[in-house]
Amino acid sequence: YTLGLSYGTDSGAGVRMGMERRYVNSRGHKFLAQLNYAETRKTLSTIYRIPAFKWLDGWYTASLEANDEQTDYIDINNAKLFLSRSGVISEQWTVVASLNALRERWRYGPGELGVYTPYEYSTLSYPEARGDYVNVDDRLFPRSGISGNLSIRGGVEGAGSDASFSQLHLNARWFLSPSDDSRLLLRGEAGTTFTDDLVNMPPSLRYFAGGDRSIRGYAWREVGPRILNDYAVGAKHVFTASAEYEHYLEDSAWGGAVFIDTGSAFDDQPRLKTGIGIGLRWRSPVGPVRVDIAHGLDDPDSAFQLYLNIGADL
């Protein structure tokens, strides 16, 4: 059983409660239920897992998740059913095939204009395939190697979906060590959507940019198309890239970093946004702790953004 407090600049103060049964029966079934209840974002998820040994070692998973998000800019409610089979191909490769059913309701507002848009609804059923690749020297603190993931999904109008669509999304990271006391981290992201009915694509399946692990110097979801110059609505495509250099004090777990991020979320032509910043690093026993301060160079909503991260970024 778990119980904790949380705080996020995009979600507010909250409480987290969870229950995990790691041994449901003699066949190794597992069950997990978790509730995250914050001021502007609430999530309830249940997961049931069954060991799988035929063909590839992995898991059969059934998950039901409900989300409610109500901020000054968007109001989203959705429910998602997820059925999957995962498998370990090798020490580096893990694959997941899944079937998904999503029902979502959303509207934008009130924002600074004090105006709400009408509610929109979408139902989508779609298969998805994902591959995760990790080949690094140290998963807790990688100094050399590459990692990434590739996902493909798509649905057909009339076959459980309100719109026909397909999506391709790629994330990649490259770790280099110019010296014993330094690291160079290169990151890239690219995603695209093929559809003639973007209006029926819910926000949870659109692309956004901005924020940590995207374009630092800009707020979460800040970069991308907007309506009424106020509401970020998500885009058909996304592209981001980052270069970061870390240097640690000799024989010390403490160090600093400088970085530059750039990219865009867009429907037609990308309008790149770039941010630069500095950071503090600590190699803790549970993985790197990163504190970053960044500034956007292309008219950000705020002058500076502060980010806190704990754990390896694979």
Side-chain angles (χ1 to χ4, degrees), residues 53-245:
F53 304 107
K54 190 175 181 180
W55 184 47
L56 294 174
D57 288 350
W59 296 90
Y60 295 103
T61 301
S63 174
L64 181 62
E65 183 175 292
N67 296 279
D68 178 85
E69 179 182 343
Q70 305 209 10
T71 69
D72 291 338
Y73 299 97
I74 195 167
D75 176 357
I76 302 177
N77 306 95
N78 64 39
K80 181 179 179 180
L81 175 64
F82 173 92
L83 304 173
S84 72
R85 166 67 159 95
S86 65
V88 178
I89 295 179
S90 67
E91 186 177 348
Q92 292 80 30
W93 277 103
T94 302
V95 294
V96 182
S98 64
L99 294 174
N100 305 266
L102 173 69
R103 174 64 173 175
E104 187 157 314
R105 183 192 74 170
W106 72 96
R107 69 176 178 178
Y108 302 101
E112 297 178 359
L113 302 177
V115 177
Y116 285 98
T117 65
Y119 275 117
E120 299 181 69
Y121 300 82
S122 184
T123 300
L124 297 174
S125 299
Y126 55 92
E128 181 173 358
R130 175 187 170 108
D132 295 297
Y133 179 79
V134 179
N135 186 7
V136 297
D137 60 339
D138 184 347
R139 288 182 177 244
L140 193 62
F141 187 78
R143 297 178 56 85
S144 66
I146 59 175
S147 68
N149 57 71
L150 173 67
S151 62
I152 303 172
R153 61 190 172 201
V156 178
E157 184 179 3
S161 292
D162 292 339
S164 295
F165 75 98
S166 60
Q167 288 184 314
L168 180 69
H169 190 224
L170 171 68
N171 271 300
R173 298 167 188 84
W174 188 12
F175 303 90
L176 300 166
S177 293
S179 68
D180 292 340
D181 298 321
S182 64
R183 288 199 311 172
L184 178 63
L185 291 75
L186 305 177
R187 174 183 53 80
E189 174 196 18
T192 187
T193 305
F194 301 95
T195 184
D196 293 326
D197 194 7
L198 185 63
V199 69
N200 279 319
M201 292 291 291
S204 63
L205 291 184
R206 300 186 190 186
Y207 292 118
F208 296 85
D212 187 43
R213 302 189 185 186
S214 180
I215 310 173
R216 287 166 290 186
Y218 298 85
W220 187 59
R221 293 181 176 175
E222 179 181 342
V223 179
R226 300 191 181 193
I227 59 174
L228 303 177
N229 295 320
D230 199 15
Y231 313 132
V233 297
K236 295 175 67 175
H237 317 288
V238 68
F239 164 78
T240 65
S242 173
E244 178 175 317
Y245 177 77

Side-chain angles (χ1 to χ4, degrees), residues 279-292:
L280 177 67
R281 299 292 183 264
W282 176 42
R283 285 186 288 185
S284 79
V286 297
V289 175
R290 303 181 293 277
V291 180
D292 293 327

